[in-house]
Every structure is written in C-alpha cells, then in structure tokens.
Amino acid sequence: MMTRSRRPTTLMHSRPVLLFAFAFAVMADPVSSVAYAIEAALRALRGDLALLLPTMALVVGIVVLVIVNYHQLVARYPQGGGAAAATGEAFGEAAAFLPIGALIVDFVLTIAISSAAGASAVIAFFPALAPWRVLVAVLLVAAVAGGTWFGHLGRTVFAAMTVAFIVLTVAVLVSAFFVAPQPSGTTTAADPGHAPVLAVALAFPVAMALATGIEAPSSAIAQLGQLDDLGRRRFGRVTLWLTLGVVGTLTLGLTAQAVRLGIGVPHADTTQIAELARAATSTPVFAAFQLTTALLLLSAASSSFQAGPGLFKALARQRHPDGTTTGILPFWLGRTNSHHTPYWGVVVFLAAAALVTAAAGGRDQELVLFYAASVFVSFLAGLVAMTRFSWRERRTGFLAINVVGALAVGFTLAVNLTRGDPIISIAAALLIAAGLYWLWVRSGRPRGIRNVAAEAEHDD
C-alpha cells in the first residue's frame, strides 16, 4: 500500500491564495451564465415578470440537487474524471463515451454562447456595433482561440474576472434598492400562454445554463497534483458549494431586482442584465459592469477552449516506449506547441464554435435554446452511475439522494425535449459518442477511456 505524503496536505494551508484563485477560476463558467440565463427564462415566460422569480428559484433548486450528488462523486474520484469516470466504472468503459460526447458538445456551445453573449454586452454599451453583431461575435471566438494558442491565460486571470463580476454585480444589486421602479422592455401581465405551474415547468430548462459548470470542479481537481487525495477531495467539495452560494445568490438577487424595477424582455440591441445595471447605477459603473461581463464571458470561453482540445489530446493515439499505442483519435490531435497547447484541437473547436455562432446570428438568446441540454446527458449518466454504486454498496441515504437527483435531471431533459430545439444538441452528443465508440472498437478497445476527462486536465 502506498504511504500518503504529509507534504501535500499542508498546501491547502500554505498556499490558500493560489487555491482561492483556482476555485474562482473554475467558477467562471457558471457565474458567467448568470449574464444570460435570467433573460432566457423571461423570454420563455413570454415576459411574465410575476413568474420569473419562481422559475429561477426552481432552477437554483435543481442546481442544488446536482451539486449534492457531485459532492458524493468528487469524494469517490478525488483524482478527477467526473461523470465519465463514474459511468465507465459502473457500466463498463464503453459507457464513458456518452458523457464524453456530451462534454464535447457542451464545450463548443460554451465557446459560442459566451462569445455571443460577450458581443451582446459590448453592443449594449456601443449600440452602433449592432449591424456587425455576427462579425463581432465570431472575432471574439477567434480572439479567445488565439489567446489559448499561446498557452493557458492563467487561472488568476479567470479568477480576477470572476471576482470583479461578483463585486460589480453586488454593487448593482445594492444600488437597485435606492432606485424607483423603471419599467422597460416587454412584459406581460400574468399571461405566459399556459397555467402558471405549467409555464414555469416549460420555461426553467432554458435557464439551466447555470448548472453547466458543475462538472468542472470534479475534473479540474486533477490539475492539483501538489495535493493528495484528501486535499483534492476537500478542494472539489468546497468549490462546488462556493459555486452554489455565489451563483444562487447572484441569480436570485438579480431576478428579484429585475422584477421590482420592472425590467422586461429587452429590445434586440441590449440585454436584460445590462438594462438592470443601466437603471440601477451611474454611467461609469455601468460601463465597468459591461466590460467586466464581457471579459468574464470570454474567460468562460477560454476555459472551454482549453478543456475541449485537452480532451481530444487525451483521446489521441500515442506511441509508448515499448512500441504499443493507445488512444483512438488521429495522432495529430495530440500535437502540442511549446506552450503545451494542442493546437490542432484548438483549430477544430474554433471552426465548430465559429460556425455555430454565425448560424445563430451571433445572438446568445438563440444559442441558449440549445444550451445546457447535452451537459444534462452527462449529469444523468453520472448520477445513474452513482445510484448503481449506492445500491450495490447498500448505502440507503446516498441512494435516496442519487435517485432524487437523477429524477430531477431526467425531468429537465424530458422537458427540454418537448421544446424541440435541444434535440439537436443531444443528437450531436449521441452521434459523437457513437463515433468515438466505433473508433474505440476499431482500435482494439484500449483501456483507460473512463479516465480521459482527468487526463485532459494535465499538461505534458
């Protein structure tokens, strides 16, 4: 049995600032989704502000259920791996392709929607750029890809953007208390087109983008090689609950203030969160808020530009000193430059994200209809796997948590399918999973597929 080193366990105390920065960097994706998730829900409600707060409360409730389950998953896989590791262990390595395919689609959509939302934030402050929305959004995709090409932008940069956004959002929330209602945009008077309960049930899945970053801590902890399993487990769990606290508070706070001030569905060249900030603060604060929002969104895109090509690299063929080869994708997808960037992987994700962004007209609210569906396939696979473990190990309490979480995620997916659009992203995830499985079989079924999500986080 391996003896646990004493040195790594002290890092949690000796370098708290670095770990704090790492935690907030991992939170960039779910925090940035606050910028467009609330508006997406309001659009789905057809502008009914009266139902917006219950809808977002339901969204946060689902996020809580997923995090409770991932709290257990992180404990089981302190070396990273997330849903892919759990699914592969529970149902065989071939099953890991399902969450892997879902994550690949999620990375592409995260880049596209973050860049489009970044363009929306810029246009809300500079309306003259509206005619060039698609060009601005695609250029942002290319700019983030270019930055990623030269290596990691640095967790501290992502953390700084996340913290700055949180600080300025709190400033907007506090300022809004001292502002009289200023109705703007399009609203309806309790007429979402359905009974209130049904309207909320149909609307909440479009705002589930808030949950997309939950998978990140379970995989990102693989980067913390300086910590032992206990340290990584603690870090992953703390990050999960910190994410819930921050995202939940900001989401419900912004929703409540939007309802109080009467900020409805905005016109084409602005966003709901921008109009809330404009109504609640002075011009300089509004400008800083829009700039920070755009930079945070691009940080989220950059994170996916690192994770996606890293996953391709982990799946690429590699020749070992003994002459054997492993991996299923073409070897060139594993090539890296001097900054450890898998540059051909970056090119692939750049092309895919630019195409998706252009097809959506550079509008984040078009993309959000397809977003957060594929990643829920990954969530469901991971939660079903954890359910199987709890059943096998006769852990009744955990089993109840897993079943409730899986049912909630399954319900979200089912409602998503009734809206039609998410079928495209789910179908894409299934096709990618099937293609990877076919390549795996052709390659002789190499072992270790369930660990690729963790391996993708390592620089070689």
Side-chain angles (χ1 to χ4, degrees):
M1 180 180 292
M2 241 179 173
T3 303
R4 179 176 294 167
S5 170
R6 300 293 299 178
R7 183 183 172 191
T9 59
T10 64
L11 187 68
M12 189 71 76
H13 306 288
S14 63
R15 298 185 183 177
V17 174
L18 292 178
L19 293 175
F20 177 85
F22 195 93
F24 274 88
V26 171
M27 290 165 51
D29 190 355
V31 172
S32 68
S33 66
V34 175
Y36 47 82
I38 301 171
E39 180 182 334
L42 183 60
R43 288 178 181 273
L45 290 167
R46 303 182 185 181
D48 188 353
L49 282 172
L51 295 180
L52 184 58
L53 191 56
T55 300
M56 296 313 297
L58 178 58
V59 169
V60 173
I62 300 294
V63 172
V64 171
L65 285 175
V66 176
I67 285 180
V68 167
N69 281 274
Y70 266 71
H71 179 89
Q72 181 185 351
L73 190 148
V74 167
R76 191 177 188 96
Y77 301 100
Q79 296 183 354
T87 307
E89 181 183 347
F91 303 106
E93 291 226 304
F97 288 115
L98 183 61
I100 290 172
L103 286 176
I104 290 172
V105 173
D106 183 62
F107 292 147
V108 172
L109 288 176
T110 295
I111 294 167
I113 196 171
S114 297
S115 300
S120 295
V122 172
I123 291 169
F125 192 75
F126 297 109
L129 293 175
W132 294 278
R133 175 183 292 274
V134 175
L135 178 61
V136 171
V138 172
L139 285 177
L140 288 177
V141 173
V144 177
T148 306
W149 190 284
F150 295 101
H152 291 273
L153 296 180
R155 291 286 180 178
T156 53
V157 175
F158 295 171
M161 292 301 99
T162 305
V163 172
F165 178 80
I166 293 170
V167 170
L168 285 169
T169 301
V170 170
V172 169
L173 290 174
V174 172
S175 299
F177 281 110
F178 303 97
V179 175
Q182 301 179 31
S184 65
T186 303
T187 59
T188 57
D191 183 24
H194 302 282
V197 173
L198 181 59
V200 171
L202 292 175
F204 87 89
V206 301
M208 289 309 306
L210 292 176
T212 57
I214 293 175
E215 178 81 18
S218 66
S219 296
I221 53 176
Q223 296 184 28
L224 299 175
Q226 66 270 54
L227 297 180
D228 62 3
D229 284 355
L230 178 60
R232 283 191 293 269
R233 184 180 293 114
R234 287 175 177 171
F235 172 81
R237 286 176 156 182
V238 168
T239 302
L240 281 171
W241 291 106
L242 184 60
T243 299
L244 173 63
V246 171
V247 173
T249 300
L250 294 186
T251 298
L252 296 180
L254 288 169
T255 301
Q257 290 293 23
V259 172
R260 191 183 76 81
L261 297 181
I263 311 297
V265 177
H267 63 77
D269 297 333
T270 188
T271 65
Q272 186 191 33
I273 195 172
E275 292 309 298
L276 173 58
R278 195 195 308 271
T281 61
S282 61
T283 300
V285 176
F286 172 64
F289 180 77
Q290 291 303 103
L291 175 62
T292 303
T293 301
L295 291 175
L296 174 63
L297 287 161
L298 296 184
S299 292
S302 181
S303 180
S304 287
F305 254 128
Q306 294 171 13
L311 188 56
F312 278 180
K313 175 186 165 187
L315 287 167
R317 287 183 175 275
Q318 302 175 37
R319 184 172 295 277
H320 302 288
D322 61 1
T324 60
T325 60
T326 57
I328 60 175
L329 292 181
F331 72 92
W332 51 267
L333 282 172
R335 287 178 176 172
T336 60
N337 60 19
S338 59
H339 302 283
H340 306 289
T341 300
Y343 48 87
W344 284 116
V346 171
V347 171
V348 172
F349 275 87
L350 167 60
L355 181 62
V356 170
T357 303
R363 295 189 177 278
D364 54 290
Q365 291 302 319
E366 291 292 327
L367 287 168
V368 78
L369 299 176
F370 303 89
Y371 195 43
S374 60
V375 76
F376 266 71
V377 173
S378 179
F379 288 157
L380 184 59
L383 268 56
V384 170
M386 296 305 295
T387 300
R388 183 168 188 177
F389 294 146
S390 296
W391 173 265
R392 216 158 49 189
E393 297 164 7
R394 302 185 183 280
R395 306 178 76 174
T396 307
F398 283 140
L399 177 62
I401 292 172
N402 300 149
V403 169
V404 172
L407 288 175
V409 169
F411 174 72
T412 303
L413 270 175
V415 176
N416 255 323
L417 291 174
T418 65
R419 294 191 295 109
D421 293 329
I423 293 176
I424 297 175
S425 55
I426 293 176
L430 295 177
L431 284 173
I432 291 173
L436 292 174
Y437 172 76
W438 178 73
L439 290 172
W440 181 64
V441 172
R442 283 195 62 190
S443 301
R445 302 174 184 261
R447 300 185 61 81
I449 290 299
R450 69 185 182 91
N451 295 319
V452 295
E455 292 173 6
E457 297 290 339
H458 292 290
D459 285 332
D460 294 331

